[in-house]
């Protein structure tokens, strides 16, 4: 996943070309002709692949049409789906008690969460030595001095960060290895969303890495989940949530993380 | 969650330390003058009698049977002393219950009120005889047949009702047809038809012999059916089948002709959901509602004759003193089938009058349980004012039931207790504690000596009414128990709940 959504940025800045809509419409109108031509023309393995894709699309379409028609049907509905436990008449209108139960169970849940706040999906990580993480940058006229370091791992650098003057900057975080977003998976919902990183909370390697914002496997990061629309027990939208990095970003070039729920 | 008896409190331990008095009736007790008075008709029998002061209950019983002149059919009685307005029960003998506490002296003239007890005795259930799985979901309602303990119906959340053969402990018929939870299931007093009301807003009638649906669903209500009740047998006109009354969440009460399968009347006066309907023996329909009122309807023309307003919150449940008599109709504990309709009506009326007549007049009492933690005792035929306000519960009262002889009221509340009240005056008698979670329902044994209660704590408990103590704890269910019923002949108790199994309990 590329970090730089330059096309979107360009569109925001300069807009689209004037005949964009027209071209899009025409392209879509040509689409069916192209498919027909492909169906006719493609042979061998490509033909098979095309036919398989076409078939699955058609099945999906038929299913959707059927579901749509059923929803419009009148008459006796099917037996009610098992949505929750059946209740005797004398408990049917007593919802406040059930919600009270739900609230108490959610409080218990939260307490449990607090207890195992640090029981994370990846409990152990490989140790990373300073030699591996830092590259020595030689400086001075004859490159005699070697007090500068460059981080070889991907890093998160907060918004509005300005590098220090060259002669003061001991540790360099290369701009090419900076990450702003992470692919975060919600483990229960099973969806993956690209979310902006807010901060690095803990790097298990060392507190210094945490301070520098080094992103390695097992690092706890805070991500902005406002897009997911998660809601707290009190009804407020959750903004920041913790996630743990599941891949080694310097190998893949992207940050994949799993949300801690 | 079987109940551990709590360790004795300090007061109890101090009481145990005290020298105990021995129940010995003194030899030199003088004779006392007594008079017998029937509790139902108020007639006195035999004039005044001189009896020894230490006369036992058994001896009183024998004496009364002699006076009545029926030596071949011996009737057991219970006795109470008339002391002003209230009555004091006589236990064991006259000396320990009356003379020793100093309520009356040997000089006084004692009027003893006698009430016939059931000629049979129900033994307490102590063990689970069967755990029957079969329903695919929570069991919401259970009821035994009016004539026998071998048939029982349950309604469940899997949108079926089942008729069980309790002798072989197998399912006899599965009543399929509803499309949503079966919320209520009631046997007709003749025992040939079952009516079920469901979440899918319909009522269905089923033949109990074949398990077939009689016709299609009875449609009319717009929301789920919360309560059903059959017309009392002695009011059924010759050649007709008993009618059915239904209350629904949509706030209406409907009367159905079960033969022609028509809605005869719709009574819409309630502003809230109807939680309970009852059809009284004097041809009145009572409906309690979430709009805090109880309405009394004339079953002949569907007019609202009275609105009983006293509760400050939802009315949850209603019970009539004649509930049991109306449920069993013409049957008695032997379950003998009447020969024809004429005899059936007569027997049903006899059963009804046995409980309904008190002090020489018809008085069918109604008790209503409410979310405002109180209950009211009403005499709706004679007055719109309540007889008594029954306070004491600390949480909402979910279920009330009159004992089959109408002398006691048991109330099940969410404050984990069952309370016992006098069924005639409404006075508090005792609190039965033992459950550790809300009590959902209670059921009486047909001889009024025992009570069984079911609770959220997954147990059933059998209570002895005479000693007001826990007689037996019945653990076994794996989750909340929603429904309990005691069979009419007293042989079995059925329960069902959230763990999807029906349990049968026997002695």
């Amino acid at each position: 996943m590329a970090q730089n959504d330059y096309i979107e940025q360009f569109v925001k800045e300069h807009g689209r070309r004037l005949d964009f809509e027209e071209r899009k419409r025409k392209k879509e109108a040509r689409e069916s002709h192209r498919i027909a031509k492909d169906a006719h023309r493609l042979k061998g393995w490509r033909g098979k692949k095309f036919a398989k894709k076409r078939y699955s699309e058609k099945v999906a379409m038929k299913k959707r049409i059927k579901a749509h028609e059923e929803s419009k049907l009148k008459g006796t509905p099917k037996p009610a789906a098992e949505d929750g436990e059946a209740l005797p008449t004398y408990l049917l209108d007593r919802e406040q008690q059930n919600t009270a139960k739900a609230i108490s169970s959610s409080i218990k849940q939260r307490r449990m969460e607090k207890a195992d706040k640090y029981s994370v999906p990846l409990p152990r990580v490989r140790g990373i030595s300073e030699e591996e993480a830092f590259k020595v940058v030689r400086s001075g006229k004859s490159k005699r001095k070697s007090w500068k370091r460059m981080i070889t791992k991907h890093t998160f650098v907060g918004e509005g960060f300005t590098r220090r003057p060259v002669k003061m900057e001991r540790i360099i975080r290369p701009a090419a290895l900076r990450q702003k977003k992470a692919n975060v998976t919600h483990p229960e919902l099973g969806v993956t969303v690209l979310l902006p990183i807010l901060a690095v909370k803990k790097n298990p390697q060392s507190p210094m890495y945490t301070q520098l914002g080094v992103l390695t496997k097992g690092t706890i990061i805070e991500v902005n989940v406002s897009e997911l629309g998660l809601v707290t027990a009190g009804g407020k939208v959750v903004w920041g949530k913790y996630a743990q990095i599941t891949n080694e970003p310097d190998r893949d070039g992207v940050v994949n993380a799993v949300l801690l729920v | 969650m079987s109940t551990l008896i709590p360790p004795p409190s300090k007061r109890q331990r101090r009481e145990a330390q005290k020298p105990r008095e021995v129940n010995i009736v003194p030899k030199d007790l003088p004779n006392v003058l007594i008079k017998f008075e029937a509790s139902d008709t108020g007639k006195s029998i035999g004039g005044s009698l001189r009896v020894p002061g230490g006369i036992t209950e058994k001896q009183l019983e024998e004496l009364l049977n002699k006076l009545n002149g029926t030596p071949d059919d011996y009737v057991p009685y219970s006795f109470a002393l008339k002391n002003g307005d209230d009555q004091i029960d006589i236990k064991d003998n006259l000396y320990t219950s009356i003379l020793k506490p100093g309520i009356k002296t040997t000089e006084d003239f004692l009027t003893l009120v006698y009430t016939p007890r059931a000629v049979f005795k129900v033994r307490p259930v102590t063990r689970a005889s069967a755990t029957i799985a079969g329903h695919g979901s929570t069991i919401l309602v259970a009821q035994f047949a009016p004539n026998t303990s071998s048939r029982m119906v349950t309604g469940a959340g899997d949108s079926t009702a089942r008729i069980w053969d309790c002798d072989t402990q197998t399912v006899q018929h599965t009543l399929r047809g509803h499309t949503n939870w079966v919320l209520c299931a009631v046997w007709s007093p003749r025992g040939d038809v079952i009516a079920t009301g469901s979440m899918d807003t319909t009522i269905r009638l089923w033949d109990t012999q074949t398990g077939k649906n009689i016709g299609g669903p009875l449609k009319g209500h717009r929301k789920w059916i919360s309560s059903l009740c059959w017309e009392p047998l002695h009011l059924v006109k010759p050649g007709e089948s008993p009618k059915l009354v239904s209350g629904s969440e949509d706030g209406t009460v409907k009367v159905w002709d079960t033969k022609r399968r028509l809605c005869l009347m719709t009574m819409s006066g309630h502003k809230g959901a109807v939680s309970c309907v009852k059809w009284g023996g004097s041809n009145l329909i009572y409906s309690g509602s979430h709009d805090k009122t109880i309405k009394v309807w004339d079953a002949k023309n569907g007019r609202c004759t009275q609105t009983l307003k006293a509760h400050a919150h939802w009315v949850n449940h209603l019970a009539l003193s004649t509930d049991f008599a109306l449920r069993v109709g013409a049957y008695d504990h032997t379950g003998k089938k009447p020969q024809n309709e004429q005899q059936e009506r007569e027997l049903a009326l006899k059963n009804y009058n046995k409980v309904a007549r008190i002090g020489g007049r018809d008085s069918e009492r109604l008790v209503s349980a409410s979310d405002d933690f109180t209950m009211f005792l009403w005499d709706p035929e004679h007055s719109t004012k309540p007889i008594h306000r029954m306070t004491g519960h600390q949480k909402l009262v979910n279920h009330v039931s009159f004992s089959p002889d109408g002398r006691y009221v048991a109330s099940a509340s969410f404050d984990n207790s069952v309370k016992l009240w006098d069924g005639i005056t409404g006075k508090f008698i005792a609190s039965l504690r033992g459950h550790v979670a809300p009590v959902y329902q209670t059921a009486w044994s047909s001889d009024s000596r025992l009570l069984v209660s079911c609770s959220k704590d997954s147990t059933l408990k059998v209570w002895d009414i005479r000693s007001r103590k826990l007689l037996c704890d019945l653990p076994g269910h794996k989750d909340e128990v929603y429904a309990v019923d005691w069979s009419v002949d007293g042989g079995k108790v059925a329960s069902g709940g959230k763990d999807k199994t029906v349990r049968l309990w026997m002695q």
Side-chain angles (χ1 to χ4, degrees), chain B residues 42-319:
Chain B
K43 274 187 210 154
S44 59
I45 186 166
S48 61
L49 302 162
R50 189 171 288 276
V51 295
I55 190 167
T56 62
E57 201 185 0
K58 189 81 192 158
Q59 286 166 330
L60 280 172
E61 204 174 278
E62 276 173 23
L63 180 64
L64 188 59
N65 270 300
K66 280 262 171 60
L67 287 173
N68 274 335
T70 49
D72 45 340
D73 51 334
Y74 186 87
V75 185
Y77 290 100
S78 63
F79 298 91
L81 174 80
K82 211 178 193 178
N83 188 17
D85 276 341
D86 52 342
Q87 295 184 349
I88 300 149
D89 284 347
I90 292 170
K91 293 170 191 166
D92 293 338
N93 56 50
L94 206 59
Y95 173 72
T96 47
S97 42
I98 305 290
L99 303 174
K100 203 168 139 200
I103 296 163
K104 293 269 178 170
T105 64
T106 49
E107 306 286 317
D108 292 323
F109 185 72
L110 310 176
T111 309
L112 300 184
V113 177
Y114 65 87
T115 335
R117 284 186 293 166
V119 286
F120 56 97
K121 192 163 186 171
V122 173
R123 283 190 287 169
V125 290
T126 51
R127 66 187 174 89
S129 79
T131 309
I132 327 170
H135 274 302
S137 182
T138 311
I139 287 144
L140 306 176
V141 65
Q143 200 189 27
F144 274 102
N147 50 350
T148 164
S149 68
S150 59
R151 292 283 181 281
M152 194 247 308
V153 66
T154 56
D158 61 356
S159 56
T160 63
R162 277 162 201 254
I163 302 178
W164 304 90
D165 184 343
C166 299
D167 299 329
T168 59
Q169 296 154 356
T170 49
V171 62
Q172 199 184 25
H173 300 294
T174 306
L175 314 179
R176 283 200 185 85
H178 283 296
T179 55
N180 211 332
W181 309 341
V182 178
L183 293 172
C184 32
V186 279
W187 290 77
S188 82
R190 274 183 191 152
D192 54 349
V193 180
I194 291 173
T196 56
S198 163
M199 195 77 178
D200 65 6
T201 71
T202 61
I203 301 163
R204 278 171 190 267
L205 302 170
W206 311 85
D207 190 325
T208 57
Q209 291 301 315
T210 59
K212 291 269 156 49
N213 196 350
I214 306 172
L218 302 176
K219 285 179 191 161
H221 283 297
R222 282 181 290 108
K223 281 192 180 172
W224 71 76
I225 314 297
S226 53
S227 177
L228 291 172
C229 192
W230 286 92
E231 184 183 18
L233 261 192
H234 62 266
L235 298 175
V236 179
K237 293 194 186 76
E240 283 186 15
S241 54
K243 297 190 210 70
L244 184 73
V245 64
S246 66
S248 161
E249 175 75 6
D250 63 10
T252 58
V253 176
K254 283 178 191 278
V255 178
W256 306 87
D257 186 327
T258 53
K259 199 149 213 171
R260 290 181 295 156
R261 309 170 34 67
L262 288 174
C263 177
L264 295 176
M265 282 181 276
T266 302
M267 286 93 101
S268 51
H270 281 298
K271 291 189 208 64
V274 176
S275 53
C276 190
V277 284
K278 292 278 172 191
W279 197 319
S282 46
N283 217 5
L284 294 173
I285 293 171
Y286 309 100
S287 63
S289 159
H290 285 181
D291 66 1
K292 309 171 197 174
T293 61
I294 302 157
K295 284 189 190 282
V296 185
W297 314 87
D298 192 339
K300 283 199 270 313
N301 48 24
R303 246 178 239 137
C304 178
T305 57
Q306 281 178 43
T307 303
L308 310 176
K309 288 181 200 156
H311 281 297
H313 209 311
W314 295 355
V315 179
N316 288 329
H317 197 250
L318 302 174

Side-chain angles (χ1 to χ4, degrees), chain B residues 16 22 58-59 85 214 221 272 281 386 398 418 478 485 500 505:
Chain B
V22 190
K58 189 81 192 158
Q59 286 166 330
D85 276 341
I214 306 172
H221 283 297
N398 189 48
V418 176
K478 293 194 181 67
D485 195 27
K500 304 174 188 172
W505 310 84

Side-chain angles (χ1 to χ4, degrees), chain A residues 76-98 101, chain B residues 137-138 140 157 179-181 183 224-226 249 290 314 316 371 396 398 414 440-441 480 482 498:
Chain A
T76 52
K78 278 183 190 167
E82 297 279 307
D83 49 344
E85 287 286 327
L87 284 174
T89 43
Y90 51 82
L91 294 177
L92 272 175
D93 282 334
R94 304 192 182 283
E95 298 218 348
Q96 71 274 27
Q97 273 173 350
N98 295 349
K101 204 172 179 180
Chain B
S137 182
T138 311
L140 306 176
T179 55
N180 211 332
W181 309 341
L183 293 172
W224 71 76
I225 314 297
S226 53
E249 175 75 6
H290 285 181
W314 295 355
N316 288 329
D371 252 25
L396 65 98
N398 189 48
F414 278 19
Y440 285 144
Q441 285 192 332
E480 304 177 16
Y482 285 141
K498 215 174 171 183

